[in-house]
Amino acid sequence: MPSFQHSAGAGKAAKFVAANPLGPMADPFAGLDDDAQEYQKEMSENINRRMQKGMDELAAKHARGTQTLDNPDRAPTGSAYKEHYAHQRRQEQSARTRVETDQVEEAARQVALREEAQIVFGAAADGG
């Protein structure tokens, strides 16, 4: 099987290319052709237009004084969220009440069984 270790050139130095590590930051579009630079320019303009439109909308909201108003049903403290939270709390309380009731009934049943066993086995122990 052939080895491709030295396929880059005559020696190890041929594998390394002198490059400025800060070059891409200094000129990020150096490797692009004219069409790619046009696309980049159009994309930048599009993003800038959208950002400006968003900033204008926020400025208009702020000027009207509606920047803090929101639909109460979408807000995390809105009525829909409060109703859902209250429903969850009621379900949890109901489940806790059911568990407590079951525990009390089980304890009462065990006491009744002990008393019945005491009567049955106590009478047998007394010679009955």
Side-chain angles (χ1 to χ4, degrees), residues 20-125:
N20 180 4
L22 301 178
M25 288 192 295
D27 189 12
F29 306 114
L32 300 179
D33 59 354
D34 289 338
D35 289 339
Q37 287 180 353
E38 288 264 336
Y39 297 141
Q40 177 61 35
K41 182 179 177 188
E42 181 62 33
M43 185 176 70
S44 295
E45 289 174 359
N46 187 4
I47 290 171
N48 288 338
R49 278 195 305 270
R50 289 175 183 230
M51 292 292 289
Q52 188 61 44
K53 181 181 175 186
M55 293 300 292
D56 291 343
E57 288 175 1
L58 286 175
K61 276 186 177 182
H62 187 70
R64 288 192 307 262
T66 59
Q67 75 276 10
T68 58
L69 300 179
D70 196 4
N71 184 349
D73 289 335
R74 284 194 321 238
T77 57
S79 59
Y81 287 90
K82 288 179 182 175
E83 289 172 15
H84 179 71
Y85 181 69
H87 179 70
Q88 283 181 332
R89 294 286 308 247
R90 284 192 301 271
Q91 284 183 332
E92 290 170 1
Q93 183 63 34
S94 174
R96 264 188 257 124
T97 304
R98 257 193 319 260
V99 168
E100 290 171 1
T101 303
D102 290 347
Q103 289 174 346
V104 168
E105 289 174 356
E106 179 65 21
R109 188 180 70 78
Q110 286 180 359
V111 167
L113 283 174
R114 282 191 197 117
E115 290 174 354
E116 185 178 335
Q118 185 68 29
I119 292 170
V120 170
F121 293 118

